[in-house]
PDB file of all heavy atoms in Angstrom:
ATOM      1  N   ARG I   1     -18.639  33.380 -25.736  1.00  0.00           N
ATOM      2  CA  ARG I   1     -17.565  34.312 -25.626  1.00  0.00           C
ATOM      3  C   ARG I   1     -17.503  34.975 -24.362  1.00  0.00           C
ATOM      4  O   ARG I   1     -18.467  35.084 -23.663  1.00  0.00           O
ATOM      5  CB  ARG I   1     -17.758  35.361 -26.653  1.00  0.00           C
ATOM      6  CG  ARG I   1     -19.019  36.218 -26.736  1.00  0.00           C
ATOM      7  CD  ARG I   1     -19.185  37.134 -27.863  1.00  0.00           C
ATOM      8  NE  ARG I   1     -20.303  37.972 -27.942  1.00  0.00           N
ATOM      9  CZ  ARG I   1     -20.621  38.855 -28.826  1.00  0.00           C
ATOM     10  NH1 ARG I   1     -19.924  38.836 -29.944  1.00  0.00           N
ATOM     11  NH2 ARG I   1     -21.767  39.608 -28.712  1.00  0.00           N
ATOM     12  N   GLN I   2     -16.335  35.419 -23.971  1.00  0.00           N
ATOM     13  CA  GLN I   2     -16.168  36.161 -22.631  1.00  0.00           C
ATOM     14  C   GLN I   2     -15.308  37.274 -22.858  1.00  0.00           C
ATOM     15  O   GLN I   2     -14.047  37.204 -23.204  1.00  0.00           O
ATOM     16  CB  GLN I   2     -15.588  35.223 -21.707  1.00  0.00           C
ATOM     17  CG  GLN I   2     -15.494  35.750 -20.316  1.00  0.00           C
ATOM     18  CD  GLN I   2     -15.105  34.751 -19.243  1.00  0.00           C
ATOM     19  OE1 GLN I   2     -14.733  33.641 -19.618  1.00  0.00           O
ATOM     20  NE2 GLN I   2     -15.546  35.007 -17.957  1.00  0.00           N
ATOM     21  N   ALA I   3     -15.789  38.542 -22.650  1.00  0.00           N
ATOM     22  CA  ALA I   3     -15.086  39.764 -22.763  1.00  0.00           C
ATOM     23  C   ALA I   3     -14.443  40.142 -21.408  1.00  0.00           C
ATOM     24  O   ALA I   3     -14.950  39.600 -20.331  1.00  0.00           O
ATOM     25  CB  ALA I   3     -15.922  40.920 -23.200  1.00  0.00           C
ATOM     26  N   PRO I   4     -13.350  40.846 -21.274  1.00  0.00           N
ATOM     27  CA  PRO I   4     -12.707  41.230 -20.034  1.00  0.00           C
ATOM     28  C   PRO I   4     -13.722  41.792 -19.105  1.00  0.00           C
ATOM     29  O   PRO I   4     -14.531  42.733 -19.367  1.00  0.00           O
ATOM     30  CB  PRO I   4     -11.725  42.327 -20.408  1.00  0.00           C
ATOM     31  CG  PRO I   4     -11.314  41.931 -21.820  1.00  0.00           C
ATOM     32  CD  PRO I   4     -12.721  41.419 -22.370  1.00  0.00           C
ATOM     33  N   GLY I   5     -13.891  41.229 -17.889  1.00  0.00           N
ATOM     34  CA  GLY I   5     -14.739  41.676 -16.827  1.00  0.00           C
ATOM     35  C   GLY I   5     -16.203  41.323 -17.034  1.00  0.00           C
ATOM     36  O   GLY I   5     -17.024  41.687 -16.219  1.00  0.00           O
ATOM     37  N   LYS I   6     -16.440  40.440 -17.909  1.00  0.00           N
ATOM     38  CA  LYS I   6     -17.826  40.019 -18.249  1.00  0.00           C
ATOM     39  C   LYS I   6     -18.030  38.553 -18.079  1.00  0.00           C
ATOM     40  O   LYS I   6     -16.906  37.822 -18.112  1.00  0.00           O
ATOM     41  CB  LYS I   6     -18.212  40.335 -19.690  1.00  0.00           C
ATOM     42  CG  LYS I   6     -18.136  41.764 -20.001  1.00  0.00           C
ATOM     43  CD  LYS I   6     -19.086  42.655 -19.263  1.00  0.00           C
ATOM     44  CE  LYS I   6     -19.095  44.094 -19.767  1.00  0.00           C
ATOM     45  NZ  LYS I   6     -20.128  44.927 -19.103  1.00  0.00           N
ATOM     46  N   GLU I   7     -19.147  38.115 -17.952  1.00  0.00           N
ATOM     47  CA  GLU I   7     -19.377  36.605 -17.732  1.00  0.00           C
ATOM     48  C   GLU I   7     -19.401  36.013 -19.134  1.00  0.00           C
ATOM     49  O   GLU I   7     -19.635  36.725 -20.147  1.00  0.00           O
ATOM     50  CB  GLU I   7     -20.722  36.359 -17.036  1.00  0.00           C
ATOM     51  CG  GLU I   7     -20.705  36.879 -15.594  1.00  0.00           C
ATOM     52  CD  GLU I   7     -22.071  36.402 -14.917  1.00  0.00           C
ATOM     53  OE1 GLU I   7     -22.988  35.916 -15.651  1.00  0.00           O
ATOM     54  OE2 GLU I   7     -22.105  36.476 -13.691  1.00  0.00           O
ATOM     55  N   ARG I   8     -19.138  34.646 -19.180  1.00  0.00           N
ATOM     56  CA  ARG I   8     -19.087  33.932 -20.443  1.00  0.00           C
ATOM     57  C   ARG I   8     -20.620  33.938 -20.982  1.00  0.00           C
ATOM     58  O   ARG I   8     -21.552  33.554 -20.194  1.00  0.00           O
ATOM     59  CB  ARG I   8     -18.514  32.590 -20.301  1.00  0.00           C
ATOM     60  CG  ARG I   8     -18.319  31.862 -21.575  1.00  0.00           C
ATOM     61  CD  ARG I   8     -17.502  30.582 -21.197  1.00  0.00           C
ATOM     62  NE  ARG I   8     -16.110  30.932 -20.704  1.00  0.00           N
ATOM     63  CZ  ARG I   8     -15.219  29.980 -20.401  1.00  0.00           C
ATOM     64  NH1 ARG I   8     -15.433  28.735 -20.640  1.00  0.00           N
ATOM     65  NH2 ARG I   8     -14.095  30.418 -19.795  1.00  0.00           N
ATOM     66  N   ALA I   9     -20.782  34.251 -22.261  1.00  0.00           N
ATOM     67  CA  ALA I   9     -22.123  34.332 -22.814  1.00  0.00           C
ATOM     68  C   ALA I   9     -22.378  33.528 -24.034  1.00  0.00           C
ATOM     69  O   ALA I   9     -21.291  33.307 -24.804  1.00  0.00           O
ATOM     70  CB  ALA I   9     -22.429  35.853 -23.111  1.00  0.00           C
ATOM     71  N   PHE I  10     -23.482  32.994 -24.195  1.00  0.00           N
ATOM     72  CA  PHE I  10     -23.815  32.318 -25.429  1.00  0.00           C
ATOM     73  C   PHE I  10     -23.832  33.025 -26.704  1.00  0.00           C
ATOM     74  O   PHE I  10     -24.250  34.166 -26.714  1.00  0.00           O
ATOM     75  CB  PHE I  10     -25.234  31.432 -25.210  1.00  0.00           C
ATOM     76  CG  PHE I  10     -25.708  30.962 -26.439  1.00  0.00           C
ATOM     77  CD1 PHE I  10     -25.305  29.715 -26.773  1.00  0.00           C
ATOM     78  CD2 PHE I  10     -26.669  31.541 -27.223  1.00  0.00           C
ATOM     79  CE1 PHE I  10     -25.769  29.026 -27.851  1.00  0.00           C
ATOM     80  CE2 PHE I  10     -27.220  30.888 -28.463  1.00  0.00           C
ATOM     81  CZ  PHE I  10     -26.755  29.633 -28.701  1.00  0.00           C
ATOM     82  N   VAL I  11     -23.287  32.417 -27.717  1.00  0.00           N
ATOM     83  CA  VAL I  11     -23.204  33.043 -29.045  1.00  0.00           C
ATOM     84  C   VAL I  11     -24.060  32.275 -30.179  1.00  0.00           C
ATOM     85  O   VAL I  11     -24.894  32.867 -30.743  1.00  0.00           O
ATOM     86  CB  VAL I  11     -21.774  33.249 -29.543  1.00  0.00           C
ATOM     87  CG1 VAL I  11     -21.712  33.819 -30.975  1.00  0.00           C
ATOM     88  CG2 VAL I  11     -20.892  34.107 -28.587  1.00  0.00           C
ATOM     89  N   ALA I  12     -23.764  31.123 -30.247  1.00  0.00           N
ATOM     90  CA  ALA I  12     -24.487  30.202 -31.235  1.00  0.00           C
ATOM     91  C   ALA I  12     -24.313  28.789 -30.838  1.00  0.00           C
ATOM     92  O   ALA I  12     -23.428  28.390 -30.074  1.00  0.00           O
ATOM     93  CB  ALA I  12     -23.973  30.594 -32.643  1.00  0.00           C
ATOM     94  N   ALA I  13     -25.177  27.965 -31.440  1.00  0.00           N
ATOM     95  CA  ALA I  13     -25.055  26.514 -31.331  1.00  0.00           C
ATOM     96  C   ALA I  13     -25.568  25.819 -32.533  1.00  0.00           C
ATOM     97  O   ALA I  13     -26.443  26.285 -33.270  1.00  0.00           O
ATOM     98  CB  ALA I  13     -25.915  25.982 -30.083  1.00  0.00           C
ATOM     99  N   ILE I  14     -25.065  24.611 -32.722  1.00  0.00           N
ATOM    100  CA  ILE I  14     -25.645  23.776 -33.793  1.00  0.00           C
ATOM    101  C   ILE I  14     -25.792  22.265 -33.271  1.00  0.00           C
ATOM    102  O   ILE I  14     -24.889  21.842 -32.485  1.00  0.00           O
ATOM    103  CB  ILE I  14     -24.644  23.795 -35.006  1.00  0.00           C
ATOM    104  CG1 ILE I  14     -25.169  23.150 -36.188  1.00  0.00           C
ATOM    105  CG2 ILE I  14     -23.273  23.313 -34.673  1.00  0.00           C
ATOM    106  CD1 ILE I  14     -24.570  23.404 -37.501  1.00  0.00           C
ATOM    107  N   THR I  15     -26.718  21.595 -33.747  1.00  0.00           N
ATOM    108  CA  THR I  15     -26.788  20.137 -33.394  1.00  0.00           C
ATOM    109  C   THR I  15     -26.038  19.409 -34.480  1.00  0.00           C
ATOM    110  O   THR I  15     -26.133  19.573 -35.700  1.00  0.00           O
ATOM    111  CB  THR I  15     -28.251  19.719 -33.504  1.00  0.00           C
ATOM    112  OG1 THR I  15     -28.886  19.950 -34.666  1.00  0.00           O
ATOM    113  CG2 THR I  15     -29.112  20.501 -32.375  1.00  0.00           C
ATOM    114  N   TRP I  16     -25.111  18.518 -33.958  1.00  0.00           N
ATOM    115  CA  TRP I  16     -24.223  17.744 -34.823  1.00  0.00           C
ATOM    116  C   TRP I  16     -25.049  16.798 -35.740  1.00  0.00           C
ATOM    117  O   TRP I  16     -24.691  16.653 -36.955  1.00  0.00           O
ATOM    118  CB  TRP I  16     -23.313  16.991 -34.115  1.00  0.00           C
ATOM    119  CG  TRP I  16     -22.042  16.553 -34.938  1.00  0.00           C
ATOM    120  CD1 TRP I  16     -21.949  15.448 -35.710  1.00  0.00           C
ATOM    121  CD2 TRP I  16     -20.865  17.347 -34.942  1.00  0.00           C
ATOM    122  NE1 TRP I  16     -20.660  15.427 -36.335  1.00  0.00           N
ATOM    123  CE2 TRP I  16     -19.941  16.570 -35.810  1.00  0.00           C
ATOM    124  CE3 TRP I  16     -20.411  18.547 -34.374  1.00  0.00           C
ATOM    125  CZ2 TRP I  16     -18.705  16.932 -36.222  1.00  0.00           C
ATOM    126  CZ3 TRP I  16     -19.069  18.935 -34.696  1.00  0.00           C
ATOM    127  CH2 TRP I  16     -18.297  18.119 -35.574  1.00  0.00           C
ATOM    128  N   SER I  17     -26.163  16.292 -35.261  1.00  0.00           N
ATOM    129  CA  SER I  17     -26.889  15.241 -35.987  1.00  0.00           C
ATOM    130  C   SER I  17     -27.693  15.888 -37.158  1.00  0.00           C
ATOM    131  O   SER I  17     -27.776  15.210 -38.261  1.00  0.00           O
ATOM    132  CB  SER I  17     -27.751  14.556 -35.125  1.00  0.00           C
ATOM    133  OG  SER I  17     -28.729  15.277 -34.377  1.00  0.00           O
ATOM    134  N   ASP I  18     -28.373  17.020 -36.964  1.00  0.00           N
ATOM    135  CA  ASP I  18     -29.223  17.560 -38.032  1.00  0.00           C
ATOM    136  C   ASP I  18     -28.841  18.990 -38.459  1.00  0.00           C
ATOM    137  O   ASP I  18     -29.510  19.408 -39.375  1.00  0.00           O
ATOM    138  CB  ASP I  18     -30.631  17.522 -37.528  1.00  0.00           C
ATOM    139  CG  ASP I  18     -30.951  18.223 -36.275  1.00  0.00           C
ATOM    140  OD1 ASP I  18     -30.060  18.972 -35.776  1.00  0.00           O
ATOM    141  OD2 ASP I  18     -31.959  17.970 -35.573  1.00  0.00           O
ATOM    142  N   GLY I  19     -28.018  19.630 -37.795  1.00  0.00           N
ATOM    143  CA  GLY I  19     -27.514  20.886 -38.231  1.00  0.00           C
ATOM    144  C   GLY I  19     -28.355  22.085 -37.859  1.00  0.00           C
ATOM    145  O   GLY I  19     -28.220  23.117 -38.516  1.00  0.00           O
ATOM    146  N   VAL I  20     -29.350  21.906 -37.014  1.00  0.00           N
ATOM    147  CA  VAL I  20     -30.136  22.946 -36.685  1.00  0.00           C
ATOM    148  C   VAL I  20     -29.340  23.967 -35.887  1.00  0.00           C
ATOM    149  O   VAL I  20     -28.542  23.681 -35.013  1.00  0.00           O
ATOM    150  CB  VAL I  20     -31.404  22.596 -35.751  1.00  0.00           C
ATOM    151  CG1 VAL I  20     -32.212  23.638 -35.250  1.00  0.00           C
ATOM    152  CG2 VAL I  20     -32.194  21.514 -36.586  1.00  0.00           C
ATOM    153  N   THR I  21     -29.590  25.376 -36.184  1.00  0.00           N
ATOM    154  CA  THR I  21     -28.740  26.404 -35.591  1.00  0.00           C
ATOM    155  C   THR I  21     -29.637  27.328 -34.675  1.00  0.00           C
ATOM    156  O   THR I  21     -30.746  27.419 -34.790  1.00  0.00           O
ATOM    157  CB  THR I  21     -28.093  27.192 -36.659  1.00  0.00           C
ATOM    158  OG1 THR I  21     -29.041  27.716 -37.577  1.00  0.00           O
ATOM    159  CG2 THR I  21     -27.175  26.279 -37.579  1.00  0.00           C
ATOM    160  N   TYR I  22     -28.869  27.912 -33.766  1.00  0.00           N
ATOM    161  CA  TYR I  22     -29.483  28.849 -32.726  1.00  0.00           C
ATOM    162  C   TYR I  22     -28.368  29.907 -32.501  1.00  0.00           C
ATOM    163  O   TYR I  22     -27.234  29.780 -32.510  1.00  0.00           O
ATOM    164  CB  TYR I  22     -29.749  28.098 -31.448  1.00  0.00           C
ATOM    165  CG  TYR I  22     -30.732  26.886 -31.753  1.00  0.00           C
ATOM    166  CD1 TYR I  22     -30.175  25.754 -31.975  1.00  0.00           C
ATOM    167  CD2 TYR I  22     -32.050  27.108 -31.485  1.00  0.00           C
ATOM    168  CE1 TYR I  22     -31.134  24.628 -32.118  1.00  0.00           C
ATOM    169  CE2 TYR I  22     -32.950  26.068 -31.591  1.00  0.00           C
ATOM    170  CZ  TYR I  22     -32.548  24.814 -31.973  1.00  0.00           C
ATOM    171  OH  TYR I  22     -33.330  23.819 -32.136  1.00  0.00           O
ATOM    172  N   TYR I  23     -28.949  31.163 -32.427  1.00  0.00           N
ATOM    173  CA  TYR I  23     -28.110  32.283 -32.261  1.00  0.00           C
ATOM    174  C   TYR I  23     -28.480  33.312 -31.113  1.00  0.00           C
ATOM    175  O   TYR I  23     -29.784  33.448 -30.948  1.00  0.00           O
ATOM    176  CB  TYR I  23     -27.951  33.172 -33.531  1.00  0.00           C
ATOM    177  CG  TYR I  23     -27.468  32.422 -34.707  1.00  0.00           C
ATOM    178  CD1 TYR I  23     -28.254  31.645 -35.682  1.00  0.00           C
ATOM    179  CD2 TYR I  23     -25.960  32.430 -34.944  1.00  0.00           C
ATOM    180  CE1 TYR I  23     -27.689  31.015 -36.667  1.00  0.00           C
ATOM    181  CE2 TYR I  23     -25.507  31.696 -36.037  1.00  0.00           C
ATOM    182  CZ  TYR I  23     -26.329  31.001 -36.846  1.00  0.00           C
ATOM    183  OH  TYR I  23     -25.781  30.347 -37.961  1.00  0.00           O
ATOM    184  N   ALA I  24     -27.521  33.855 -30.482  1.00  0.00           N
ATOM    185  CA  ALA I  24     -27.965  35.013 -29.562  1.00  0.00           C
ATOM    186  C   ALA I  24     -28.330  36.183 -30.497  1.00  0.00           C
ATOM    187  O   ALA I  24     -27.951  36.414 -31.612  1.00  0.00           O
ATOM    188  CB  ALA I  24     -26.724  35.445 -28.739  1.00  0.00           C
ATOM    189  N   ASP I  25     -29.345  36.996 -29.812  1.00  0.00           N
ATOM    190  CA  ASP I  25     -29.807  38.122 -30.651  1.00  0.00           C
ATOM    191  C   ASP I  25     -28.857  39.148 -31.088  1.00  0.00           C
ATOM    192  O   ASP I  25     -28.964  39.814 -32.123  1.00  0.00           O
ATOM    193  CB  ASP I  25     -30.900  38.932 -29.729  1.00  0.00           C
ATOM    194  CG  ASP I  25     -32.240  38.100 -29.564  1.00  0.00           C
ATOM    195  OD1 ASP I  25     -32.446  37.155 -30.324  1.00  0.00           O
ATOM    196  OD2 ASP I  25     -32.863  38.382 -28.578  1.00  0.00           O
ATOM    197  N   SER I  26     -27.697  39.223 -30.317  1.00  0.00           N
ATOM    198  CA  SER I  26     -26.631  40.242 -30.546  1.00  0.00           C
ATOM    199  C   SER I  26     -25.868  39.903 -31.771  1.00  0.00           C
ATOM    200  O   SER I  26     -25.191  40.733 -32.408  1.00  0.00           O
ATOM    201  CB  SER I  26     -25.723  40.371 -29.386  1.00  0.00           C
ATOM    202  OG  SER I  26     -25.186  39.104 -29.142  1.00  0.00           O
ATOM    203  N   VAL I  27     -25.989  38.627 -32.413  1.00  0.00           N
ATOM    204  CA  VAL I  27     -25.150  38.261 -33.453  1.00  0.00           C
ATOM    205  C   VAL I  27     -25.981  37.763 -34.692  1.00  0.00           C
ATOM    206  O   VAL I  27     -25.335  37.448 -35.646  1.00  0.00           O
ATOM    207  CB  VAL I  27     -24.104  37.141 -33.091  1.00  0.00           C
ATOM    208  CG1 VAL I  27     -23.294  37.567 -31.849  1.00  0.00           C
ATOM    209  CG2 VAL I  27     -24.806  35.843 -32.722  1.00  0.00           C
ATOM    210  N   LYS I  28     -27.319  37.786 -34.497  1.00  0.00           N
ATOM    211  CA  LYS I  28     -28.071  37.185 -35.633  1.00  0.00           C
ATOM    212  C   LYS I  28     -27.988  38.116 -36.928  1.00  0.00           C
ATOM    213  O   LYS I  28     -27.883  39.348 -36.677  1.00  0.00           O
ATOM    214  CB  LYS I  28     -29.675  37.244 -35.114  1.00  0.00           C
ATOM    215  CG  LYS I  28     -29.968  36.187 -34.216  1.00  0.00           C
ATOM    216  CD  LYS I  28     -31.479  36.306 -33.981  1.00  0.00           C
ATOM    217  CE  LYS I  28     -31.962  35.118 -32.915  1.00  0.00           C
ATOM    218  NZ  LYS I  28     -33.356  35.243 -32.539  1.00  0.00           N
ATOM    219  N   GLY I  29     -27.721  37.464 -37.993  1.00  0.00           N
ATOM    220  CA  GLY I  29     -27.533  38.164 -39.221  1.00  0.00           C
ATOM    221  C   GLY I  29     -26.163  38.580 -39.480  1.00  0.00           C
ATOM    222  O   GLY I  29     -25.780  38.965 -40.581  1.00  0.00           O
ATOM    223  N   ARG I  30     -25.207  38.376 -38.524  1.00  0.00           N
ATOM    224  CA  ARG I  30     -23.808  38.697 -38.739  1.00  0.00           C
ATOM    225  C   ARG I  30     -22.966  37.390 -38.523  1.00  0.00           C
ATOM    226  O   ARG I  30     -22.006  37.238 -39.299  1.00  0.00           O
ATOM    227  CB  ARG I  30     -23.392  39.658 -37.711  1.00  0.00           C
ATOM    228  CG  ARG I  30     -24.154  40.999 -37.795  1.00  0.00           C
ATOM    229  CD  ARG I  30     -23.487  42.061 -36.876  1.00  0.00           C
ATOM    230  NE  ARG I  30     -23.491  41.744 -35.448  1.00  0.00           N
ATOM    231  CZ  ARG I  30     -22.344  41.550 -34.640  1.00  0.00           C
ATOM    232  NH1 ARG I  30     -21.171  41.775 -35.269  1.00  0.00           N
ATOM    233  NH2 ARG I  30     -22.546  41.250 -33.410  1.00  0.00           N
ATOM    234  N   PHE I  31     -23.389  36.581 -37.654  1.00  0.00           N
ATOM    235  CA  PHE I  31     -22.509  35.240 -37.451  1.00  0.00           C
ATOM    236  C   PHE I  31     -23.247  34.066 -38.041  1.00  0.00           C
ATOM    237  O   PHE I  31     -24.519  34.050 -37.970  1.00  0.00           O
ATOM    238  CB  PHE I  31     -22.312  35.011 -35.918  1.00  0.00           C
ATOM    239  CG  PHE I  31     -21.423  36.037 -35.194  1.00  0.00           C
ATOM    240  CD1 PHE I  31     -20.884  37.190 -36.020  1.00  0.00           C
ATOM    241  CD2 PHE I  31     -21.018  35.979 -33.978  1.00  0.00           C
ATOM    242  CE1 PHE I  31     -20.157  38.150 -35.307  1.00  0.00           C
ATOM    243  CE2 PHE I  31     -20.240  36.912 -33.291  1.00  0.00           C
ATOM    244  CZ  PHE I  31     -19.836  38.026 -33.984  1.00  0.00           C
ATOM    245  N   THR I  32     -22.507  33.132 -38.504  1.00  0.00           N
ATOM    246  CA  THR I  32     -23.065  31.935 -38.960  1.00  0.00           C
ATOM    247  C   THR I  32     -22.345  30.736 -38.470  1.00  0.00           C
ATOM    248  O   THR I  32     -21.095  30.616 -38.584  1.00  0.00           O
ATOM    249  CB  THR I  32     -23.086  31.943 -40.437  1.00  0.00           C
ATOM    250  OG1 THR I  32     -23.708  33.052 -41.043  1.00  0.00           O
ATOM    251  CG2 THR I  32     -23.702  30.593 -41.013  1.00  0.00           C
ATOM    252  N   ILE I  33     -22.932  29.810 -37.803  1.00  0.00           N
ATOM    253  CA  ILE I  33     -22.339  28.515 -37.323  1.00  0.00           C
ATOM    254  C   ILE I  33     -22.705  27.465 -38.308  1.00  0.00           C
ATOM    255  O   ILE I  33     -23.797  27.258 -38.863  1.00  0.00           O
ATOM    256  CB  ILE I  33     -22.934  28.130 -35.900  1.00  0.00           C
ATOM    257  CG1 ILE I  33     -22.109  27.044 -35.324  1.00  0.00           C
ATOM    258  CG2 ILE I  33     -24.393  27.940 -35.926  1.00  0.00           C
ATOM    259  CD1 ILE I  33     -22.314  26.788 -33.781  1.00  0.00           C
ATOM    260  N   SER I  34     -21.614  26.603 -38.541  1.00  0.00           N
ATOM    261  CA  SER I  34     -21.874  25.429 -39.409  1.00  0.00           C
ATOM    262  C   SER I  34     -21.105  24.309 -39.051  1.00  0.00           C
ATOM    263  O   SER I  34     -20.168  24.416 -38.165  1.00  0.00           O
ATOM    264  CB  SER I  34     -21.576  25.815 -40.818  1.00  0.00           C
ATOM    265  OG  SER I  34     -20.192  26.403 -40.958  1.00  0.00           O
ATOM    266  N   ARG I  35     -21.144  23.131 -39.722  1.00  0.00           N
ATOM    267  CA  ARG I  35     -20.352  21.999 -39.376  1.00  0.00           C
ATOM    268  C   ARG I  35     -19.934  21.404 -40.671  1.00  0.00           C
ATOM    269  O   ARG I  35     -20.513  21.481 -41.688  1.00  0.00           O
ATOM    270  CB  ARG I  35     -21.085  21.067 -38.540  1.00  0.00           C
ATOM    271  CG  ARG I  35     -22.436  20.646 -39.101  1.00  0.00           C
ATOM    272  CD  ARG I  35     -22.929  19.310 -38.572  1.00  0.00           C
ATOM    273  NE  ARG I  35     -24.273  18.837 -38.864  1.00  0.00           N
ATOM    274  CZ  ARG I  35     -24.902  18.676 -40.113  1.00  0.00           C
ATOM    275  NH1 ARG I  35     -24.298  19.173 -41.127  1.00  0.00           N
ATOM    276  NH2 ARG I  35     -26.155  18.201 -40.116  1.00  0.00           N
ATOM    277  N   ASP I  36     -18.851  20.551 -40.608  1.00  0.00           N
ATOM    278  CA  ASP I  36     -18.199  19.774 -41.666  1.00  0.00           C
ATOM    279  C   ASP I  36     -18.046  18.341 -41.078  1.00  0.00           C
ATOM    280  O   ASP I  36     -17.218  18.125 -40.333  1.00  0.00           O
ATOM    281  CB  ASP I  36     -16.942  20.286 -42.225  1.00  0.00           C
ATOM    282  CG  ASP I  36     -16.478  19.625 -43.440  1.00  0.00           C
ATOM    283  OD1 ASP I  36     -16.786  18.331 -43.523  1.00  0.00           O
ATOM    284  OD2 ASP I  36     -15.738  20.198 -44.252  1.00  0.00           O
ATOM    285  N   ASP I  37     -18.927  17.511 -41.462  1.00  0.00           N
ATOM    286  CA  ASP I  37     -18.918  16.110 -40.884  1.00  0.00           C
ATOM    287  C   ASP I  37     -17.650  15.385 -41.120  1.00  0.00           C
ATOM    288  O   ASP I  37     -17.039  14.722 -40.382  1.00  0.00           O
ATOM    289  CB  ASP I  37     -20.024  15.275 -41.214  1.00  0.00           C
ATOM    290  CG  ASP I  37     -21.440  15.686 -40.695  1.00  0.00           C
ATOM    291  OD1 ASP I  37     -21.362  16.613 -39.734  1.00  0.00           O
ATOM    292  OD2 ASP I  37     -22.538  15.384 -41.280  1.00  0.00           O
ATOM    293  N   ALA I  38     -17.233  15.533 -42.433  1.00  0.00           N
ATOM    294  CA  ALA I  38     -15.974  14.826 -42.904  1.00  0.00           C
ATOM    295  C   ALA I  38     -14.761  15.281 -42.123  1.00  0.00           C
ATOM    296  O   ALA I  38     -13.783  14.499 -41.949  1.00  0.00           O
ATOM    297  CB  ALA I  38     -15.692  15.077 -44.459  1.00  0.00           C
ATOM    298  N   LYS I  39     -14.645  16.508 -41.685  1.00  0.00           N
ATOM    299  CA  LYS I  39     -13.498  16.995 -40.859  1.00  0.00           C
ATOM    300  C   LYS I  39     -13.791  17.094 -39.384  1.00  0.00           C
ATOM    301  O   LYS I  39     -12.884  17.457 -38.668  1.00  0.00           O
ATOM    302  CB  LYS I  39     -13.187  18.394 -41.367  1.00  0.00           C
ATOM    303  CG  LYS I  39     -12.808  18.486 -42.837  1.00  0.00           C
ATOM    304  CD  LYS I  39     -12.437  19.879 -43.224  1.00  0.00           C
ATOM    305  CE  LYS I  39     -11.956  19.922 -44.717  1.00  0.00           C
ATOM    306  NZ  LYS I  39     -11.689  21.359 -45.208  1.00  0.00           N
ATOM    307  N   ASN I  40     -14.960  16.636 -38.945  1.00  0.00           N
ATOM    308  CA  ASN I  40     -15.384  16.669 -37.486  1.00  0.00           C
ATOM    309  C   ASN I  40     -15.068  18.014 -36.938  1.00  0.00           C
ATOM    310  O   ASN I  40     -14.488  18.218 -35.828  1.00  0.00           O
ATOM    311  CB  ASN I  40     -14.566  15.582 -36.752  1.00  0.00           C
ATOM    312  CG  ASN I  40     -14.878  14.292 -37.079  1.00  0.00           C
ATOM    313  OD1 ASN I  40     -16.032  13.872 -37.501  1.00  0.00           O
ATOM    314  ND2 ASN I  40     -13.904  13.379 -37.001  1.00  0.00           N
ATOM    315  N   THR I  41     -15.522  19.103 -37.650  1.00  0.00           N
ATOM    316  CA  THR I  41     -15.183  20.441 -37.356  1.00  0.00           C
ATOM    317  C   THR I  41     -16.432  21.326 -37.357  1.00  0.00           C
ATOM    318  O   THR I  41     -17.316  21.216 -38.259  1.00  0.00           O
ATOM    319  CB  THR I  41     -14.140  20.990 -38.265  1.00  0.00           C
ATOM    320  OG1 THR I  41     -12.935  20.230 -38.217  1.00  0.00           O
ATOM    321  CG2 THR I  41     -13.812  22.516 -37.937  1.00  0.00           C
ATOM    322  N   VAL I  42     -16.548  22.165 -36.404  1.00  0.00           N
ATOM    323  CA  VAL I  42     -17.621  23.247 -36.368  1.00  0.00           C
ATOM    324  C   VAL I  42     -16.980  24.556 -36.590  1.00  0.00           C
ATOM    325  O   VAL I  42     -15.979  24.840 -36.077  1.00  0.00           O
ATOM    326  CB  VAL I  42     -18.387  23.182 -34.971  1.00  0.00           C
ATOM    327  CG1 VAL I  42     -19.314  24.293 -34.874  1.00  0.00           C
ATOM    328  CG2 VAL I  42     -19.081  21.848 -34.783  1.00  0.00           C
TER     329      VAL I  42
END
């Protein structure tokens, strides 16, 4: 994500193959990343 006047910052990531997730400290417990293999969508 990139707010006005700020640098682009990491929020979350997921591995497509195994679904392991990673989160920035600022969003842990609030944001959830997931994937749907059938829809090729994150």
Side-chain angles (χ1 to χ4, degrees):
R1 64 185 182 184
Q2 187 167 21
K6 303 292 185 180
E7 294 185 349
R8 194 169 300 183
F10 172 78
V11 175
I14 187 169
T15 60
W16 200 274
S17 57
D18 56 18
V20 175
T21 59
Y22 302 84
Y23 297 94
D25 289 341
S26 60
V27 305
K28 286 181 179 178
R30 299 190 299 123
F31 293 4
T32 303
I33 189 170
S34 61
R35 57 155 169 55
D36 186 331
D37 292 342
K39 297 181 179 180
N40 295 329
T41 300
V42 176

